[in-house]
């Protein structure tokens, strides 16, 4: 993930595997900044955006966050610009440094520190392009992307959970159920 800008030519949008695209992403591709991402946890205050585990990494490495927003790495737009390439190299270097020093493989602390670079033109994506519904259930409304955080786990069963279970048990994807999940008004099964 931290090496994608080096591996892919042209502008691209990185999407985590635990999300559903439900609407047009054309406004994202129209952005003119080097890199764009949405607030972590779909929250407005910095205090609610930084997860405890990320705080531990930042503190252990003496890294501070000087920007007003801490972003989520599940949806990242990259243009093919010198600034985006420099950012990609810096993010990868910082992630390798944090991984080597702490044996913790969290990429978001390094991502957010790299985004503070003066050489980068960064834009904040509206939360609708990375609605992290497990951390902020109200973010589902009018979202173009529902991000399920499947690695976190939740008591709420989502349509995404049902799709994954179906796929694991049958070894195939039911496209009709996928379509229904995408057009569903709500991301939760129960």
């Amino acid at each position: 993930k931290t090496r994608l800008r080096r591996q892919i030519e042209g502008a691209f949008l990185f999407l985590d595997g635990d999300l559903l695209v439900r609407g047009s992403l054309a406004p994202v591709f129209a952005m003119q900044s080097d890199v764009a991402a949405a607030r972590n946890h779909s929250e407005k205050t910095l205090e609610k955006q930084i997860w405890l585990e990320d705080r531990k990494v930042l503190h252990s490495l003496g890294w501070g966050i000087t920007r007003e927003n801490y972003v989520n790495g599940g949806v990242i737009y990259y243009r093919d610009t010198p600034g985006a390439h420099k950012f990609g190299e810096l993010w990868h270097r910082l992630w390798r440094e944090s991984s080597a020093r702490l044996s913790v493989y969290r990429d978001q602390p390094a991502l957010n520190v790299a985004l503070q670079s003066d050489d980068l033109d960064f834009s904040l994506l509206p939360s609708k392009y990375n609605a992290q519904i497990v951390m902020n259930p109200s973010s589902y409304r009018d979202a173009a992307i529902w991000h399920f955080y499947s690695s976190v786990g939740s008591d709420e069963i989502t349509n995404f959970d049902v799709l994954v279970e179906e796929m694991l048990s049958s070894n195939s994807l039911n496209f009709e159920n996928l379509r229904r999940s995408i057009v569903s008004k709500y991301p939760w099964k129960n």
Side-chain angles (χ1 to χ4, degrees), residues 53 56-57 60-61 94-107:
E53 296 303 313
K56 290 177 185 175
V57 170
S60 295
L61 295 170
L94 291 171
W95 175 77
R96 287 182 54 104
E97 177 186 328
S98 69
S99 300
R101 287 182 55 195
L102 303 177
S103 296
V104 173
Y105 303 99
R106 300 200 50 73
D107 59 37

Side-chain angles (χ1 to χ4, degrees), residues 149-162:
Y149 276 30
S150 61
S151 62
V152 172
S154 171
D155 293 337
E156 298 290 327
I157 298 172
T158 67
N159 293 329
F160 186 80
D161 297 323
V162 172

Side-chain angles (χ1 to χ4, degrees), residues 131-167:
Q132 298 146 62
I133 62 166
V134 169
M135 301 311 283
N136 185 347
S138 67
S139 67
Y140 83 92
R141 291 183 183 92
D142 302 317
I145 297 175
W146 282 340
H147 190 167
F148 292 93
Y149 276 30
S150 61
S151 62
V152 172
S154 171
D155 293 337
E156 298 290 327
I157 298 172
T158 67
N159 293 329
F160 186 80
D161 297 323
V162 172
L163 287 169
V164 169
E165 284 301 317
E166 285 177 357
M167 194 165 140

Side-chain angles (χ1 to χ4, degrees), residues 37-88:
R39 292 179 182 105
N40 197 39
H41 300 163
S42 299
E43 291 286 356
K44 292 186 177 164
T45 64
L46 185 62
E47 182 67 28
K48 291 181 178 180
Q49 293 167 7
I50 305 177
W51 189 44
L52 177 62
E53 296 303 313
D54 286 0
R55 283 186 193 285
K56 290 177 185 175
V57 170
L58 292 165
H59 177 74
S60 295
L61 295 170
W63 290 349
I65 297 300
T66 59
R67 293 176 37 256
E68 59 205 45
N69 293 294
Y70 190 84
V71 302
N72 179 270
V75 176
I76 305 174
Y77 174 67
Y78 292 86
R79 286 191 55 229
D80 197 354
T81 62
H85 283 273
K86 279 178 129 176
F87 158 75

Side-chain angles (χ1 to χ4, degrees), residues 13-22 25 72-76 129-132 144-150 160 163-164 178 182:
L13 182 65
F14 167 77
L15 302 172
D16 262 355
D18 59 348
L19 54 80
L20 288 177
V21 176
R22 309 182 60 253
L25 303 180
N72 179 270
V75 176
I76 305 174
Y129 296 109
N130 189 355
Q132 298 146 62
I145 297 175
W146 282 340
H147 190 167
F148 292 93
Y149 276 30
S150 61
F160 186 80
L163 287 169
V164 169
L178 174 60
I182 290 170

